[in-house]
Amino acid sequence: MIKPITHDQKQLSQPSQTATRQDLPIAQDLLDTLVAHRQNCVGMAANMIGQRKRIIVVTMGMTNVVMINPQMIAKSNPYQTMEGCLSLTGQRPTRRFKNITVRFLNQDWQQVTLPLSGWVAEIVQHEIDHCDGILI
């Protein structure tokens, strides 16, 4: 189900809780909401739709990937960039890493470890920051 986007910075600044199997419907809501905003959005975290759970969705090429309880376990090659966010107005400076490795559970509750680089790595870092209550 498509959900409204949260713009309340106080709510977005609160760290999210570990997701459980009972939270899987939130992943579908995130996917539906991401698709509805695909013209100007390439990733979302559950707190952006009012759910304080560690669930993100990320557009990777033609596929949208759900990451449950994502953790960045490696990072290298820091750089400065400007980012925007569907929950915030304008763009803001932030520090990202060109290469990361992320560990997460997929929708089948299987653990996945995935090396990422470039644009997709930047999106994942932005959404993990959302889970941690960090805004750009």
Side-chain angles (χ1 to χ4, degrees):
M1 179 181 298
I2 299 169
K3 299 290 186 175
I5 303 301
T6 300
H7 298 282
D8 181 348
Q9 289 188 27
K10 184 177 179 183
Q11 186 177 357
L12 293 167
S13 295
Q14 297 178 24
S16 296
Q17 302 166 350
T18 300
T20 67
R21 286 181 188 262
Q22 289 73 32
D23 297 316
L24 282 172
I26 296 170
Q28 188 59 54
D29 290 344
L30 270 176
L31 285 168
D32 294 345
T33 306
L34 178 66
V35 169
H37 292 276
R38 68 179 165 261
Q39 295 295 90
N40 57 351
C41 185
V42 291
M44 298 189 88
N47 66 350
M48 293 175 67
I49 60 169
Q51 299 291 325
R52 284 187 44 222
K53 294 293 182 171
R54 292 188 67 84
I55 305 171
I56 67 173
V57 293
V58 177
T59 300
M60 294 187 186
M62 300 296 290
T63 303
N64 294 321
V65 177
V66 172
M67 297 182 182
I68 300 167
N69 299 322
Q71 295 179 302
M72 196 166 45
I73 59 172
K75 57 189 176 186
S76 64
N77 300 322
Y79 66 99
Q80 288 296 124
T81 190
M82 296 291 287
E83 289 181 356
C85 180
L86 196 59
S87 289
L88 306 170
T89 57
Q91 291 201 343
R92 298 174 177 148
T94 190
R95 181 177 184 225
R96 297 291 180 219
F97 295 89
K98 289 183 183 177
N99 304 298
I100 66 168
T101 301
V102 63
R103 182 177 295 143
F104 60 93
L105 298 171
N106 64 19
Q107 286 177 286
D108 295 323
W109 220 253
Q110 298 168 325
Q111 184 172 288
V112 177
T113 301
L114 191 61
L116 299 169
S117 61
W119 176 239
V120 174
E122 186 174 326
I123 299 165
V124 169
Q125 290 169 80
H126 180 103
E127 303 313 332
I128 288 175
D129 275 358
H130 266 295
C131 291
D132 294 334
I134 299 169
L135 301 176
I136 54 171

